[in-house]
Amino acid sequence: MDLGIKGRRALVMASSQGLGKACATALASEGCEVWINGRNEPRLAAAAEEIVAATRAEVHAVAADLNTAAGRDRLVSACPNPDILVTNNGGPPPGSIDQWDHAAWLAALEANLLAPVLVLRSVLPGMVQRKFGRIVNVTSAMVKAPVPVMGLSTAARAGLVALSKAVSHDVARHNVTINNLLPERIDTDRQRYMAERVMKEQGCSFEEARRQIADTISAKRFGRPEEFAAACAFLCSAQAGFISGQNLQLDGGSYAGLI
């Protein structure tokens, strides 16, 4: 399927690795001019080279810390008029409410609520004016299925989802959509971190830890980043103009609820 976004400008936050990089690659494959972002300059440069080699697209690398106002300003200045925005950022560590002090809450909210919202706020007027915009927030399955150890992530990301739903009503008539992707157990470095956590807690091997995690998924396997990225690319497509304010779960069918 031709997604109808060839030549569009796509800004993908936190995209030097993992799901962000996969989304940037998928959009580049569809012919978008892509801006990618990260804090680690060598890794960012390597990611840009890999995406160019795989897609032959035009890719720009912007080194910036999304958790600072200066970093966000640098990112938006590099690509002030994107047609597509994919918001993404690293999540806070697991824990328990007795461990999360004021500083921990501020860090989580800065990274997973304020960073995406403030970048979205900067680029939204241009999308409305041009009568085309696709915004996809990479959040988490924890938004709809919270668990105690992921409370920081759940709280911050649920705020992003709520704000996006509210704003989506105002901009839909301008062909600007805002949707959320809710991943769970996609095979990235985040899952390596979670498996290593299980290893330490249970004294088991890395392979056993991964098997235990995979057994909690209905599909009995981890999701692939390219599967996630394909869903992102479709939500950014010309054909997805009648889909907005939605939460799409990519979890191997694991969510137990109906809605």
Side-chain angles (χ1 to χ4, degrees), residues 105 162 220-221 224-226:
W105 280 106
K220 302 303 179 186
R221 69 171 177 89
R224 298 189 298 274
E226 57 268 27

Side-chain angles (χ1 to χ4, degrees), residues 131-183:
K131 304 299 181 185
F132 183 93
R134 299 289 185 266
I135 297 172
V136 176
N137 300 309
V138 178
T139 64
S140 168
M142 300 300 107
V143 167
K144 290 182 68 174
V147 296
V149 297
M150 300 302 293
L152 275 180
S153 177
T154 296
R157 296 184 193 276
L160 172 61
V161 169
L163 182 281
S164 296
K165 180 67 174 180
V167 174
S168 71
H169 293 294
D170 276 345
V171 299
R173 66 183 181 274
H174 301 292
N175 191 29
V176 177
T177 66
I178 309 177
N179 292 292
N180 308 293
L181 290 177
L182 281 59

Side-chain angles (χ1 to χ4, degrees), residues 13-22 37 43 47 88 188-189:
M13 296 166 61
S15 44
S16 64
Q17 60 183 341
L19 296 181
K21 180 183 174 184
N37 156 250
R43 183 165 60 202
N88 182 43
T188 64
D189 285 344

Side-chain angles (χ1 to χ4, degrees), residues 36-220:
I36 66 171
N37 156 250
R39 289 176 293 185
N40 184 310
E41 293 193 38
R43 183 165 60 202
L44 180 64
E49 291 178 4
E50 289 173 18
I51 296 171
V52 170
T55 67
R56 303 301 176 190
E58 188 171 355
V59 179
H60 311 272
V62 185
D65 184 351
L66 297 174
N67 299 335
T68 68
R72 293 188 290 267
D73 288 345
R74 187 177 304 116
L75 184 62
V76 173
S77 294
C79 183
N81 296 302
D83 303 298
I84 294 166
L85 171 65
V86 179
T87 78
N88 182 43
N89 209 355
S96 59
I97 192 166
D98 60 294
Q99 298 172 324
W100 299 325
D101 59 13
H102 190 218
W105 280 106
L106 290 178
L109 293 172
E110 187 75 51
N112 300 127
L113 173 59
L114 296 178
V117 165
L118 292 172
V119 174
L120 182 157
R121 175 179 178 268
S122 295
V123 305
L124 193 60
M127 292 179 173
V128 168
Q129 185 177 20
R130 294 188 301 274
K131 304 299 181 185
F132 183 93
R134 299 289 185 266
I135 297 172
V136 176
N137 300 309
V138 178
T139 64
S140 168
M142 300 300 107
V143 167
K144 290 182 68 174
V147 296
V149 297
M150 300 302 293
L152 275 180
S153 177
T154 296
R157 296 184 193 276
L160 172 61
V161 169
L163 182 281
S164 296
K165 180 67 174 180
V167 174
S168 71
H169 293 294
D170 276 345
V171 299
R173 66 183 181 274
H174 301 292
N175 191 29
V176 177
T177 66
I178 309 177
N179 292 292
N180 308 293
L181 290 177
L182 281 59
E184 185 172 24
R185 307 308 189 195
I186 310 297
D187 203 1
T188 64
D189 285 344
R190 177 72 168 179
Q191 290 311 310
R192 172 174 289 275
Y193 167 81
M194 298 303 288
E196 289 171 348
R197 183 181 173 90
V198 172
M199 285 173 60
K200 292 176 183 178
E201 291 175 350
Q202 299 189 13
C204 62
S205 68
F206 181 72
E207 292 72 20
E208 173 61 18
R210 281 179 60 85
R211 188 195 65 76
Q212 288 186 31
I213 295 171
D215 279 348
T216 69
I217 306 167
S218 294
K220 302 303 179 186

